[in-house]
Amino acid sequence: MRVTQSMLSSNMLRNLNNSYSKMGKLQEQLTSGSKINRPSDDPVAAIKGMGYRTDLNKVEQFTRNMNQVNSWIDTTDESLGQVSEALKRVQELVTQAANDTNDSDDREKILAEISQIKAQIKDVANTKVGDDYIFSGTKTQSPLYDANGNLIPATTTGTAFNADVKIEVFDGIQLNVNTDAVQLFKDIEDTLTSIEGQLSAEPGGDGDDATELSSLLGNIQAVYEDVLAERAEVGAKQNRVEMMTNRLSIQEINVKKQMSNNEDVDYAESITEMVTQESIHQAALSVGANIIQQTLVDFIR
């Protein structure tokens, strides 16, 4: 086959263009810090990168969910803590009222304070996180007590007010973030109502007897222990949330490491390859200058 000057020139230009393309790709990788700037650079690595980014997006979403879980559980713990402190105060007041030395005025003052504590506990039962009531089960837009202080749930079992609120914190793992406190607050309300009835009874009547008030101390202690039991369960949830948070942090680190190994440029290797390619390109230019023969224009000079 006859090799013409045109063929030599075309081959030289094609090879130079390929050399420029290789140097441009290496320069782009060094500038961006990524081996993959378009799917065609490495289709297999590009597909893996999509999977890693999907995993990372999941971790970020689960982390946001975990923040919401922490808000619910921490607020629940704080609210139950307020209830337990209120019940301790009620216990002190009832013990004081059971003393026969108290006159009617003293008991009226005690009654007034207990009534205020009762109203405060109802307010705590309507605690919200954002726009959600935390003690209302899945009926998060409805409070437990209405504006008149009446318990809204008609029954204490089998209703949405007793349903679990679950939030996904990992693939296939959901945490129950709420506390089924309808029965708890109902028992507290009934106990405080009984105490109010004893304190408001006519002097000298059966309900005014100090012995009756003393017997109610056991009821107060019972509901107080129920509150402590609920707080213990909330504490167990907090411990699990902490472990899940650590697990998510480890998962995020692992995914980012895998994504880095898949995509990030090895600068030492790329710079070495870039220098080598530049040397090859310079050699190609030098050889190309010798391959291209002189034209008639050169002879005219």
Side-chain angles (χ1 to χ4, degrees):
M1 183 181 68
R2 181 172 178 269
V3 179
T4 65
Q5 179 68 27
S6 175
M7 291 173 61
L8 289 174
S9 299
S10 297
N11 287 335
M12 185 193 72
L13 290 174
R14 184 176 65 255
N15 291 332
L16 287 176
N17 285 332
N18 289 338
S19 180
Y20 275 123
S21 177
K22 291 178 181 178
M23 287 192 297
K25 183 177 180 180
L26 288 169
Q27 185 181 31
E28 189 177 18
Q29 289 178 352
L30 291 171
T31 302
S32 65
S34 175
K35 294 184 293 186
I36 307 170
N37 292 291
R38 57 188 60 83
S40 59
D41 292 340
D42 189 338
V44 175
I47 292 174
K48 287 183 178 180
M50 292 172 61
Y52 294 141
R53 281 173 172 76
T54 299
D55 292 339
L56 191 59
N57 289 336
K58 285 184 179 180
V59 171
E60 292 174 351
Q61 181 60 57
F62 290 148
T63 300
R64 289 191 291 270
N65 291 354
M66 194 64 73
N67 292 334
Q68 186 179 5
V69 169
N70 278 317
S71 296
W72 272 72
I73 294 178
D74 291 345
T75 304
T76 300
D77 183 58
E78 182 181 351
S79 299
L80 292 177
Q82 294 177 16
V83 173
S84 63
E85 290 299 320
L87 291 176
K88 285 170 63 177
R89 178 56 182 164
V90 170
Q91 195 171 33
E92 294 173 359
L93 292 171
V94 172
T95 301
Q96 179 182 346
N99 193 330
D100 289 332
T101 60
N102 292 303
D103 56 23
S104 299
D105 290 339
D106 293 333
R107 293 200 175 187
E108 287 179 3
K109 294 175 183 177
I110 293 173
L111 174 61
E113 184 172 351
I114 289 178
S115 297
Q116 291 300 314
I117 292 175
K118 180 180 177 182
Q120 175 61 23
I121 291 177
K122 289 182 179 181
D123 289 339
V124 172
N126 289 341
T127 298
K128 299 172 68 176
V129 170
D131 295 328
D132 299 327
Y133 291 94
I134 63 175
F135 293 117
S136 298
T138 54
K139 293 183 69 66
T140 55
Q141 300 303 306
S142 301
L144 276 186
Y145 288 90
D146 60 21
N148 297 320
N150 299 318
L151 190 65
I152 292 180
T155 61
T156 57
T157 58
T159 69
F161 283 95
N162 302 97
D164 294 336
V165 176
K166 295 182 178 181
I167 297 178
E168 188 174 12
V169 295
F170 213 78
D171 282 331
I173 299 177
Q174 294 181 332
L175 289 182
N176 177 23
V177 298
N178 71 317
T179 297
D180 182 6
V182 176
Q183 186 62 48
L184 177 64
F185 283 107
K186 184 176 185 303
D187 291 342
I188 293 173
E189 180 183 0
D190 291 343
T191 300
L192 296 181
T193 300
S194 298
I195 294 172
E196 288 177 326
Q198 292 292 338
L199 290 173
S200 61
E202 290 295 330
D206 293 338
D208 186 53
D209 187 50
T211 303
E212 296 291 338
L213 285 173
S214 298
S215 66
L216 291 174
L217 289 174
N219 297 340
I220 299 173
Q221 184 63 30
V223 293
Y224 178 75
E225 291 176 356
D226 289 341
V227 173
L228 293 182
E230 291 293 343
R231 289 196 72 185
E233 184 177 348
V234 171
K237 290 179 182 179
Q238 287 175 320
N239 291 335
R240 186 180 181 190
V241 167
E242 184 176 353
M243 290 188 290
M244 291 301 302
T245 301
N246 293 336
R247 183 179 178 184
L248 282 174
S249 298
I250 294 172
Q251 177 74 3
E252 182 178 10
I253 292 172
N254 290 336
V255 172
K256 287 183 176 180
K257 182 178 179 180
Q258 291 172 344
M259 190 165 63
S260 176
N261 293 335
N262 184 62
E263 300 177 10
D264 288 355
V265 167
D266 184 342
Y267 280 96
E269 180 182 351
S270 295
I271 290 173
T272 301
E273 189 175 351
M274 182 69 172
V275 172
T276 301
Q277 190 63 42
E278 286 177 345
S279 299
I280 294 173
H281 184 72
Q282 291 298 328
L285 288 174
S286 178
V287 172
N290 293 325
I291 290 177
I292 298 177
Q293 298 178 356
Q294 292 180 329
T295 65
L296 290 175
V297 177
D298 295 309
F299 290 104
I300 292 174
R301 293 182 300 179

